[in-house]
């Protein structure tokens, strides 16, 4: 991922190919349901009709309409 692509994604809204997660996925000491969240998100991207790459940006909170 290039710096330019990251900047472009940060100024985009969530979509079928972009998801923001404000916190890291939990694994250690987490319940099975919590551990499965990453897999669920990946499968949702895999099952959506999209002609481009899909991204999950961790540590980024969504701002409706993109970044100011």
């Amino acid at each position: 991922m290039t710096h330019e692509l990251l900047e472009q994604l940060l100024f985009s809204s969530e979509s079928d190919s972009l998801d923001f997660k404000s916190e890291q996925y939990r694994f250690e000491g987490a319940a099975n349901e919590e551990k499965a969240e990453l897999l669920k998100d990946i499968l949702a991207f895999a099952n959506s009709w999209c002609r481009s790459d899909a991204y999950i940006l961790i540590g980024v909170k969504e701002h409706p309409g993109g970044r100011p």
Side-chain angles (χ1 to χ4, degrees), residues 9 12 21 53:
L9 293 172
S12 300
K21 297 294 179 186
D53 294 334

Side-chain angles (χ1 to χ4, degrees), residues 17-68:
S17 61
L18 179 61
D19 193 13
F20 297 117
K21 297 294 179 186
S22 59
E23 297 181 12
Q24 174 70 18
Y25 290 95
R26 292 197 57 218
F27 294 105
E28 192 164 327
N32 287 338
E33 293 80 22
E34 293 173 300
K35 292 177 186 178
E37 287 303 312
L38 176 59
L39 182 57
K40 288 179 188 177
D41 288 341
I42 292 171
L43 290 174
F45 281 148
N47 287 321
S48 67
W49 182 254
C50 186
R51 293 184 178 212
S52 63
D53 294 334
Y55 299 93
I56 300 173
L57 298 182
I58 299 172
V60 178
K61 186 175 179 180
E62 179 184 14
H63 293 274
R67 298 272 183 251

